[in-house]
């Protein structure tokens, strides 16, 4: 698709991601760019500086925030319900237990309450923080429509539709279609895995005794030389929590190389990612 309108694949990918993440799944809440221009004119600047400060001390918050935003949006829309605490809240569900970045949202919320109390929703903070995370990892920025209302219901049972790391392509397409998203949306959002890491325990099953059609027993779709590399990082019966870059070559740069790696058999895309030891749960940004 390279050509006059999309001079390179990276530009096309960034355009698609922008289209999918920015306005998707807001469920007609009357969002618009510049929603807080009068009520809290420094809102986006405060969130941006907060994300920058946390990113400077810990760059892994960027993929963490992007992932959190996706998990929030995929369940009942982008309403911030992933941030609600409770024994059976969304954040307690299996797919969400490794989410991180809550402290960034809390920090931004505290500063925003001091500047303009009760104005900026937690859902918007998360959406803007995800955008800023992409930009900080050398991706493109985009104008985020704001004005989301915070959800007040958060149920772990509602996370069943989140894409799972063993879902087939057809299953994933069905889950996206159920939300009004097509295959192009799926491919674009999969590209978010260009930053971050995956835990060995979530993909090592593809490296050992996966099939009898290859001499190594590994998944035949993975390049044999890459299988050897992954096995050295994730030995059988080894430390399943060890992390491996999802995008070989540029794990901290938001670009299109993730797709090139997949096409050459040098990828192990797993929607559930690990970003390191997780701190104990703490109170997070609540709906107001």
């Amino acid at each position: 698709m390279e050509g006059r309108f999309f001079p390179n694949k990276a530009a096309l990918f960034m355009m698609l991601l922008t289209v999918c993440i920015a306005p998707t799944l807001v469920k007609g809440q009357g969002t618009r760019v510049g929603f807080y221009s009068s009520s809290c004119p420094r809102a986006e600047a405060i969130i941006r500086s907060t994300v920058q400060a946390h990113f400077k001390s810990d760059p892994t918050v960027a993929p963490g925030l992007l992932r959190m935003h996706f998990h929030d949006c995929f369940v009942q829309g982008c309403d911030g319900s992933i941030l609600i605490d409770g024994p059976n809240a969304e954040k307690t569900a299996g797919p969400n237990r490794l989410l991180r970045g809550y402290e960034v949202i809390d920090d931004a919320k505290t500063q925003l309450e001091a500047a303009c109390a009760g104005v900026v929703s937690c859902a918007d903070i998360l959406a803007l923080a995800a955008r800023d995370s992409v930009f900080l990892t050398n991706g493109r920025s985009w104008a985020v429509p704001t004005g989301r209302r915070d959800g007040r219901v958060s149920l772990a049972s509602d996370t069943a539709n989140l894409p799972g790391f063993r879902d087939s392509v057809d299953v994933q397409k069905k889950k996206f279609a159920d939300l009004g998203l097509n295959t192009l949306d799926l491919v674009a959002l999969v590209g978010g895995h260009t930053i971050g890491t995956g835990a060995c325990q979530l993909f090592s099953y593809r490296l050992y005794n996966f099939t009898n059609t290859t001499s190594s027993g590994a998944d035949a779709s993975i390049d044999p030389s890459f299988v050897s590399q992954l096995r050295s990082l994730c030995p059988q019966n080894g430390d399943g929590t060890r992390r491996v870059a999802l995008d070989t070559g540029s794990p901290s740069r938001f670009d299109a190389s993730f797709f090139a790696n997949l096409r050459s058999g040098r990828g192990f895309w797993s929607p559930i990612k690990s970003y390191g030891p997780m701190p104990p749960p703490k109170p997070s940004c609540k709906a107001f």
Side-chain angles (χ1 to χ4, degrees), residues 17 43 69 76 80 93 97 103 129 151 164-165 179 213 224-225 251 264 270:
L17 191 70
H69 182 44
Q76 304 300 330
R97 289 176 186 167
E103 71 282 2
F165 68 97
L179 295 178
T213 61
S225 64
S264 61
S270 168

Side-chain angles (χ1 to χ4, degrees), residues 55 182 249 270:
F55 177 80
N182 59 31
S270 168

